[in-house]
Amino acid sequence: MKCKILETAGEMFLSFGFKSVTMDDIAQKMSISKKTIYTHFSNKRILIEETTFGLFQFIKCGIDDIREKNYNPIEELYEIKNFILKHLKDETSSPQYQLNKYYPKIHATLMKKQFTVMQECVADNLQKGIDQGLFRKEIDVDFITRIYFKGMTGIKDLDTFPLDTFSMNYLMENYIDYHVRGIATEKGIQTLEQLKTSI
């Protein structure tokens, strides 16, 4: 039952936001009593925390699977983007923005976890790009890894990028394009252009 509650709560939080979804809403959706939820989670904050970190682990495993496949580094960036958009439903809400606004401690912990994972993932992606001649060999891998993380988290700020003006797919698509063009060799630009025409 606990896993089912986490699954249902996760879907509702991502679709409607952490603030607006109540324990009553989750209970009604599952056709169970609110007391049943409280048997497993003593309050909403704990439910959000477990849901958030569980989803983080799921996304991490998915990214690891993509990294193990034989994509070139530019393809890999787009495959990861598609996977994240599919599972985080960022087209209809901005979970990270709401988490920061209403549950800042959980958000801060999540950011630390995300940075650790992204630091390894992006650094590996950059090095592969250098080795394959797609990214310039003189780029500062550590610096660009940090800039990439800040950019990817920054585009989820609804004050700067409201969803009624910029879809999350549009933002991520354009940010990856911006990122690659800033570090790519001529071969890398050609690879990017070929990939974009095939999408």
Side-chain angles (χ1 to χ4, degrees):
M1 177 58 74
K2 181 176 181 178
C3 291
K4 185 62 178 174
I5 293 170
L6 285 170
E7 181 183 344
T8 303
E11 289 176 359
M12 294 182 73
F13 288 145
L14 291 177
S15 296
F16 306 111
F18 291 103
K19 181 68 173 177
S20 60
V21 175
T22 66
M23 299 295 248
D24 283 316
D25 293 331
I26 297 167
Q28 184 176 5
K29 175 76 173 179
M30 297 182 68
S31 299
I32 61 175
S33 69
K34 190 163 63 170
K35 184 178 178 181
T36 302
I37 298 177
Y38 282 117
T39 300
H40 299 282
F41 306 96
S42 59
N43 57 55
K44 184 180 176 182
R45 184 193 62 77
I46 290 174
L47 176 57
I48 288 174
E49 188 173 62
E50 290 200 33
T51 301
T52 301
F53 297 152
L55 184 58
F56 165 80
Q57 192 59 40
F58 172 79
I59 295 294
K60 178 185 179 300
C61 290
I63 291 173
D64 288 343
D65 288 343
I66 291 170
R67 291 174 63 197
E68 289 175 3
K69 295 179 180 175
N70 195 30
Y71 295 115
N72 73 52
I74 298 172
E75 290 174 319
E76 183 178 272
L77 290 171
Y78 280 89
E79 288 295 323
I80 290 173
K81 178 208 66 139
N82 292 336
F83 175 78
I84 290 173
L85 283 177
K86 178 181 177 182
H87 292 284
L88 291 189
K89 303 181 181 179
D90 268 348
E91 287 293 345
T92 54
S93 67
S94 182
Q96 183 171 289
Y97 180 83
Q98 289 195 12
L99 196 66
N100 185 31
K101 186 173 182 179
Y102 300 112
Y103 299 91
K105 289 183 179 179
I106 297 175
H107 178 264
T109 302
L110 180 63
M111 285 296 97
K112 289 179 182 177
K113 289 175 176 286
Q114 285 183 346
F115 177 70
T116 299
V117 169
M118 191 176 282
Q119 191 173 31
E120 177 188 344
C121 177
V122 176
D124 179 65
N125 180 275
L126 291 170
Q127 191 57 57
K128 282 197 300 185
I130 293 169
D131 295 342
Q132 294 178 23
L134 299 174
F135 301 153
R136 299 192 311 275
K137 62 183 179 181
E138 71 272 14
I139 63 174
D140 184 330
V141 171
D142 184 51
F143 172 76
I144 293 171
T145 296
R146 294 168 189 271
I147 286 291
Y148 188 80
F149 174 77
K150 280 297 184 183
M152 268 299 177
T153 53
I155 61 175
K156 295 178 182 178
D157 180 352
L158 295 186
D159 292 329
T160 307
F161 300 104
L163 283 176
D164 58 355
T165 305
F166 304 98
S167 74
M168 193 52 64
N169 182 63
Y170 175 87
L171 289 170
M172 292 182 75
E173 188 94 18
N174 279 273
Y175 185 70
I176 291 172
D177 184 87
Y178 174 83
H179 165 72
V180 171
R181 289 182 187 279
I183 61 176
T185 60
E186 185 176 340
K187 178 183 175 183
I189 296 294
Q190 291 173 353
T191 301
L192 175 66
E193 293 292 354
Q194 290 170 0
L195 178 62
K196 289 178 70 175
T197 56
S198 68
I199 294 175

